[in-house]
Every structure is written in structure tokens, then in C-alpha cells.
Amino acid sequence: MQGERMKGKSMAEGTPWKHILRFAFPVLAGSLLQQLYNTVDTIVVGNFSGESALSAVGTTGSFTFLFLALATGFSAGNGVVIAQYYGAGNEKQVRANASTGILLMLGMGLLATIVGFLVLRPAYTYLVAVPKDFLELTLQYFKIYALGLVFQFGYNIFSSILRAVGDSAATLYFLLIASVINIILDLLFVAGLHWGVVGAALATDIAQAVSFVAAYIYMTRKYPIFKFKLKDFTWNFGLAKKTVTTGFPIALQLIVVSFGLTFIQRAVNGFGQAMTAAFTVGQRIEMYMNLPCTALQTTLATYTGQNIGAGKIARVKKGANQAIFMSALFTICVSAIVWLLAGNITGAFGLGNQAAIYCDSYIKAIALINIILALYIPLFGVFQGAKHGGAATVVATGALSMRVVVTYLFRYSILFGHTIIWWNGMFGFGVGFLITWTYYLSNRWQKNSAIEKQIINKESIKEEIIMKKTILVVGAGKGLGNGVAEKFGSNDFRVILMARNEEHLNEYAADFEAKGIEVYTQAADISDFDAFTDTFREVVKNYGTPDVLFYNVGITVADEEVTISTQTLIERYAVDVAGAYNCIKLVDTKEFAAKKGAILVTGGGLALQPYAGYLPLSMDKAALRAMVQALAPVLKEKGIYIGTVQVTGTIGSNDFYAPKTIAEEFWKLYTEQETSEIVH
């Protein structure tokens, strides 16, 4: 049961396509806003700073995408881990992974800035082969852009954490704020102050810084579990390793795309400035057409992670199939609009005549080709959410390799010539489609999913044991047993009920769950010492050492109802006294002592005033009382408390002897521990 501190939106219940659509729309809108202010950059720079400046900003795209790949990939890895723990209801692991993830990504952002400054000139001069006409403008833009990388990495980790708990809408608001600021600053710095590419880069950095701050404030105020003060941030190498190993395939997939685009950019630059400018605009438009399928990919990563955490593999498949249908439908609609308005779109960017011709051909070709992409990209989210992100990397590598090969193979051919710059996608996406669907239909991505769930659940139980105390009730029943259990449960104890009748235990559990008490049950017969001992140890193995043992077993049949014999005395003693002693010995461990464990025993007034009509019970209650008094000082030296309430009347006969009233006495014994006996 998830606590209020991390109450988000579970995608493991309800209609899959509704959850997916509801989650994807804010992601799509946010991505649209992000592309919008990137497009405004391009339009403003193209119209107010010229084609050289536009080419310079466009040429940086492959390397800015590389850093975005690192930020997005490793943040998404952290988000997948958090989503799985969120699906399993493990609050402590959700918080711990978020803390480590934030520290990791901020550190990577600072490192990225340093690396960016060190490699930018040789990278753009030799690797990308930027023409001298706009090389210096390219370097100016990238230097300023690199200063804001820490904000980019920080914003991405905050967004991934929020998406992991089902909150995709919040990122839309952050991006809306950033987009408005970026557009205003673009117009001010580039159109008004004529700062050129420097102004465009500054506008981007400031907008990212604002979205970074807004995301952090929202996350910490909306979700108390993520409310970190400086001293609350903790670094855990093991958790960082889990984020890196999960995020690396995702980042690598995007890095492969970045390097592939770098080689394609090099080929583009070989056709001159007009082609470079056209390619810059064409890529912007292509990103708009990719938005539906990439939004659904992001959605399916969270959806898959939560459902695997909840152990619902079949539900993952159902959601994935519905997402593919939506991806194709949305992409066809967007592509149709782009095809029809291609001329108008091209005209908005201030391109020269030749560049405009190139760009018109580019976006019309991509409008057709991207439908293939829409039919497989969402499945990357399934692979990533199932921690099989390496499959997406293999697909991306295959697709990009094919695009690069055919580009360099046919760029001077009669068949394609310069048009291979955009038609290469037909070959690359075709390869990606075949590899993706082959892997998906093989069900290999499901491998280790069941094991993953077992690990998560096992960790969840262990972590919850640390966070929440447990009372083990031996002798659960509608009277005092359940009364004491409810008292402790209402004080945030986990309750484990043990009794002989499994059907009755299920009824008790339903009652406790209806009251919001976490409860588990285990059938066992206290009179069968060996079997009970094995069962008791299994309970401890599964749920951990309890904090409180409550022994509430006693045979209360009046003597006139049975014939009293020596055998009867022995059988009654075995249950009433020896059974209690067996339980005490089972919890008399270092683990129980380390938790300052408490043993509570139901006594009876017959121990103080014996009655011949209840001879066996009188003898047993006296023996039970003597045992508690004898063991109290011995156990105290070990750090273990033992106490008993001597109930002097019939339980439930009136308000004074009501289970609820007597339960208060047991709670008093436990919380105060000033005496080993209360007579009620």
C-alpha cells in the first residue's frame, strides 16, 4: 500500500490505452513546446542573423544532441528504477534512488561542460568538418550553450523522477514557462540587440535554468518524499550503479544516433552552405513529425516499469499494441499536414532559393518515411522499462549504420545524388522496423522480468521491515487477539495473524484491510510443536523478525463440559503454557534483542484466584504467570521485554472487559514497560 508521501499515478490498474494517452499527451505537449522554442531559435537566427549563423546553429545539433542523449538516457535509467520500486510500493527505495540520481546527474552535467570546452574546436574542425565560413560562429554558439549543461542534466532528472511516479503533466508547465522565456529572450538578444548566435545560446541557457528551478520547487512541494534538504542528499554507489547500468543502454542508443547524425552532417556540409541550412530546417521539422512516437516511447518506459514492478507482463503487451496503433495514427495525421504545407513551412525560415528547394524536397520525403519509424519506436519504451534497453541500442545502431552507409554510398550516384540525405531514412528505418519487431515478438525482453519483480518485492519487504514495526499475534480471534492486533495496527504496526483456521484468518484479514491496516496471515497449530516451529521460522524468514510477539492462546472450556484426566491436563498445559514457552524461545534471538523486542502474554484472573470449575485453566494461568515473572529479569538483561495482563473477568461481558479496553492495557505495557504485569 503506497503512502501519502509518494502518492502519484499508478499505471498498473485500469484501461491501458487511457493511461497511456493521458500520460503521453503532456509529454507530447512538452516536447512540442521544446521543439517550438528550438524552432524560434532557428527562425529568429535565420531571419535576423543570416544563413551563415543559421548554418552554425544547425551544425552544433549533433553534439548538442550528444549531451542531451547523456542527460536523457541516464535520467531515464533512474526513472525506470524508481518506476519499478514505485509499482512495488517501496517508498524508501524510491527516495534513495531519487537522491542518488539527482547527485549523479548534476555531477555529470558539470563534467559535460568541462569536456565540451576541451573538445569543441578539434571536434567541429576535423570530425564534423565545419566550413571555415561559419566555424567561428559554431564555436561561439557551442561555448555559451555548454555553460548551461548542468541545468539541462538537472531538469532531465527531475522530469524523469516525476514521470516515474506517473506525473507527466508537470513537465508541460515547466516547458511552457521555459518556451515563453526563450522566445522573449531570442527576440530581445538576437532581433533587438543583434547578439547573433551568442544571444540565441544565452536565451537557451536562461530558459533551461528557469525550468530547472521550477521543476525542483514543484517536485519537492508536491511530493513530500522528494523534499530534500541539503543534508538529506545521500550518495549510494550501489544505487548509482543501478541507474548507470539501466540508463547506459538508453543513453547509448541516443549517442549512436548522435554519432550517426554527425557523419551524416559531415556529408551534408560537403554539399555546401545551402544544403547545410536546408538540413538544419529539415531536421527541425522532422523532429515535429517524430513527436507522437517518441512521446509514446517515453510513456511506455514508465508504463512497462510500473507494470513489471506489479508483475503484470500481459498488461504490458496489451498497452504496447495499443500504443503502436496510436503512434501510427498520429504520425500519419502530422505527416499529411507537413506534406500539404511544405512550401509555407520552408518559407518561414528565411532560406535562400536553393536552400528552400532542398528543404521542400527533404520534408516531403520525411513525411512519408517517418510512418515506418512510428511503427516501431514506441516499443523501445517497452525494452527500456523491462531493463532491456540494450535491444533499443542494437536497433538504433543498425538503423543509423544503414543510413550512414547508403548516404556515403549513393551521395554522388545518378540514382539518388544529394537526395540520399533525406531518403537514407527509408533504408535505416526499414532495418530498425525489422529488428525491433523480431525482438519484440520473440518475447526475449520478458527475460528476467519475473526475477526482477521478485528482487524488487524482496527488497521492498526488507526495506518496509526497517521502516515499519511488526506485531506477530499467535492466537488471532474475534475477541482479544484481534482487539490487540487492531490497536497496534492503528499505530502503524504491520500485523501478522496466526491461528489454526485459515478461513477465519482470511475473514480477519479482510476486516483489517478495510480499516487500512497492513495485515498478513499464516495458519498454524500451536499444539504441534515441530510443525509450528517450522511455520514460525518461515514467517520470520518472509517478513523479518517481529518487534512484538503477542501470545493469546488458551483453552477456556469449563470442567463440567469435559472429563478431567491426566491426559487432559497434559494436553491443556501443552497449549496454554508450553506453547507460550516455545514461542518465547523462538523470538529469544540477537535480532529480536537488537530491535528491543517485546513479548506480551494474555494472563487470567484464575492465576490469582483459582476456581475448581476451571481447574486445568487455573493451573495453567498460574504457571504462565510464574513463567513470565521468572523470565522477565533474564530477558531484560538481553534487552527484551516481557509482560502480561491478568484479565479477571470474562472477555466481552461488558465495556470494562471489552477487547478494545483490554487492548489499551497491552499497549500501555508495551509503551511504558515499567512493570511486567497489569491486573485488569
Side-chain angles (χ1 to χ4, degrees):
M1 187 167 51
Q2 293 167 356
E4 290 295 321
R5 283 161 44 83
M6 67 168 191
K7 191 173 183 180
K9 298 174 183 177
S10 173
M11 301 176 80
E13 301 291 341
T15 307
W17 71 265
K18 290 182 180 179
H19 277 301
I20 291 168
L21 204 57
R22 193 179 298 120
F23 188 99
F25 265 129
V27 175
L28 176 61
S31 299
L32 183 63
L33 286 172
Q34 199 162 31
Q35 290 306 319
L36 179 62
Y37 76 67
N38 287 337
T39 304
V40 170
D41 263 352
T42 308
I43 293 174
V44 173
V45 171
N47 282 280
F48 292 96
S49 298
E51 201 168 88
S52 292
L54 176 62
S55 297
V57 173
T59 299
T60 63
S62 57
F63 273 94
T64 57
F65 188 84
L66 171 63
F67 288 113
L68 181 62
L70 293 171
T72 304
F74 288 112
S75 294
N78 186 254
V80 167
V81 175
I82 291 173
Q84 291 189 342
Y85 282 114
Y86 178 80
N90 190 332
E91 181 177 321
K92 186 170 184 180
Q93 280 289 355
V94 167
R95 180 175 170 84
N97 276 280
S99 172
T100 297
I102 291 169
L103 294 176
L104 175 66
M105 295 311 297
L106 291 178
M108 289 181 67
L110 292 172
L111 182 62
T113 298
I114 296 170
V115 172
F117 270 84
L118 291 175
V119 305
L120 75 114
R121 182 170 288 275
Y124 284 116
T125 303
Y126 303 109
L127 183 60
V128 185
V130 178
K132 292 182 179 179
D133 295 347
F134 51 89
L135 175 61
E136 291 305 318
L137 289 175
T138 301
L139 299 179
Q140 285 178 21
Y141 180 86
F142 190 81
K143 281 180 182 178
I144 305 300
Y145 162 82
L147 292 174
L149 284 173
V150 68
F151 302 123
Q152 184 181 96
F153 277 70
Y155 168 75
N156 273 278
I157 186 62
F158 297 151
S159 296
S160 289
I161 291 169
L162 290 170
R163 284 194 293 267
V165 298
D167 191 347
S168 62
T171 57
L172 172 61
Y173 306 131
F174 311 144
L175 287 170
L176 178 60
I177 296 169
S179 298
V180 171
I181 291 173
N182 193 83
I183 292 169
I184 292 172
L185 293 180
D186 262 336
L187 293 171
L188 174 63
F189 294 160
V190 181
L193 299 175
H194 303 291
W195 288 356
V197 295
V198 172
L202 274 174
T204 300
D205 285 351
I206 293 171
Q208 287 183 337
V210 171
S211 61
F212 167 82
V213 173
Y216 179 75
I217 292 173
Y218 173 86
M219 183 181 74
T220 54
R221 291 187 179 179
K222 175 76 172 179
Y223 299 95
I225 189 175
F226 300 132
K227 193 170 185 177
F228 297 108
K229 294 180 180 177
L230 192 59
K231 64 179 181 179
D232 295 329
F233 282 104
T234 55
W235 174 263
N236 185 305
F237 181 79
L239 299 183
K241 183 180 178 182
K242 184 176 288 188
T243 287
V244 170
T245 53
T246 304
F248 179 73
I250 304 173
L252 184 59
Q253 171 212 332
L254 298 172
I255 291 168
V256 166
V257 172
S258 174
F259 276 105
L261 292 176
T262 299
F263 286 108
I264 293 174
Q265 182 73 57
R266 185 185 179 95
V268 168
N269 291 342
F271 287 108
Q273 183 172 298
M275 179 61 83
T276 302
F279 187 71
T280 298
V281 174
Q283 276 197 310
R284 292 281 189 266
I285 304 307
E286 185 178 353
M287 287 179 180
Y288 279 103
M289 289 187 277
N290 290 343
L291 290 180
C293 62
T294 54
L296 287 164
Q297 174 193 343
T298 301
T299 300
L300 281 181
T302 299
Y303 174 86
T304 302
Q306 287 195 12
N307 279 280
I308 284 178
K312 299 181 178 180
I313 300 296
R315 181 177 169 83
V316 173
K317 287 185 174 182
K318 185 176 182 180
N321 294 336
Q322 292 171 353
I324 289 292
F325 175 79
M326 290 186 281
S327 175
L329 181 62
F330 295 152
T331 301
I332 289 170
C333 293
V334 173
S335 295
I337 293 170
V338 169
W339 176 276
L340 293 172
L341 300 178
N344 303 85
I345 293 169
T346 302
F349 290 86
L351 296 172
N353 290 335
Q354 188 59 54
I357 293 170
Y358 286 152
C359 190
D360 185 74
S361 299
Y362 182 161
I363 61 179
K364 282 184 176 178
I366 290 298
L368 297 174
I369 296 168
N370 271 29
I371 296 172
I372 303 173
L373 191 74
L375 293 172
Y376 74 86
I377 283 293
L379 294 179
F380 284 12
V382 174
F383 303 154
Q384 291 160 357
K387 292 190 177 180
H388 281 248
T393 305
V394 170
V395 175
T397 303
L400 259 297
S401 297
M402 179 59 71
R403 290 183 68 183
V404 171
V405 168
V406 297
T407 297
Y408 282 86
L409 192 62
F410 296 117
R411 61 179 170 161
Y412 299 125
S413 69
I414 297 174
L415 181 61
F416 286 103
H418 66 269
T419 65
I420 195 62
I421 297 299
W422 40 87
W423 287 112
N424 63 46
M426 179 173 60
F427 299 94
F429 298 159
V431 168
F433 176 88
L434 292 174
I435 299 174
T436 300
W437 276 97
T438 299
Y439 189 77
Y440 177 71
L441 294 175
S442 73
N443 291 326
R444 290 182 183 178
W445 57 272
Q446 296 180 40
K447 187 178 180 182
N448 299 330
S449 293
I451 297 173
E452 184 69 28
K453 181 181 183 295
Q454 291 173 9
I455 293 170
I456 290 170
N457 286 345
K458 187 176 180 181
E459 290 175 348
S460 297
I461 291 172
K462 287 182 178 179
E463 296 296 341
E464 283 293 315
I465 287 165
I466 295 172
M467 295 172 61
K468 198 171 186 179
K469 291 186 176 182
T470 303
I471 181 171
L472 175 57
V473 179
V474 179
K478 289 185 176 180
L480 185 57
N482 289 4
V484 171
E486 183 176 342
K487 175 63 183 178
F488 279 76
S490 64
N491 282 278
D492 205 30
F493 271 69
R494 173 189 294 101
V495 174
I496 302 174
L497 303 177
M498 295 184 74
R500 287 183 300 176
N501 192 305
E502 188 167 2
E503 185 178 344
H504 289 168
L505 284 172
N506 292 334
E507 293 175 6
Y508 305 154
D511 290 340
F512 279 108
E513 287 173 352
K515 295 173 183 177
I517 295 172
E518 184 179 354
V519 62
Y520 302 92
T521 61
Q522 179 62 60
D525 185 356
I526 192 71
S527 64
D528 187 340
F529 283 3
D530 292 338
F532 181 85
T533 297
D534 290 342
T535 302
F536 192 98
R537 287 172 175 161
E538 188 66 24
V539 168
V540 172
K541 180 181 177 181
N542 291 335
Y543 303 105
T545 302
D547 297 86
V548 179
L549 167 68
F550 176 45
Y551 192 82
N552 182 56
V553 180
I555 300 175
T556 57
V557 180
D559 293 349
E560 59 266 21
E561 297 179 25
V562 295
T563 302
I564 301 300
S565 64
T566 303
Q567 186 61 34
T568 301
L569 293 175
I570 293 172
E571 291 173 356
R572 298 280 187 86
Y573 186 88
V575 173
D576 297 346
V577 185
Y581 183 75
N582 187 37
C583 287
I584 292 169
K585 298 306 293 181
L586 287 171
V587 295
D588 184 7
T589 62
K590 291 180 180 179
E591 291 79 10
F592 192 65
K595 300 179 84 170
K596 299 188 182 300
I599 302 166
L600 304 177
V601 180
T602 301
L606 292 172
L608 306 173
Q609 294 181 332
Y611 173 56
Y614 284 89
L615 182 60
L617 188 60
S618 298
M619 296 167 62
D620 293 347
K621 290 299 182 184
L624 199 61
R625 180 175 184 246
M627 181 177 68
V628 170
Q629 290 179 339
L631 290 176
V634 177
L635 293 174
K636 185 177 181 180
E637 290 181 2
K638 300 179 181 180
I640 298 172
Y641 169 79
I642 187 170
T644 179
V645 174
Q646 306 298 341
V647 183
T648 59
T650 303
I651 296 172
S653 59
N654 55 43
D655 289 345
F656 184 74
Y657 290 114
K660 193 172 183 179
T661 305
I662 301 170
E664 293 293 338
E665 300 281 34
F666 278 103
W667 181 252
K668 182 179 179 181
L669 271 183
Y670 171 69
T671 54
E672 296 181 1
Q673 298 188 9
E674 294 178 352
T675 177
S676 62
E677 181 178 83
I678 290 178
V679 178
H680 181 84

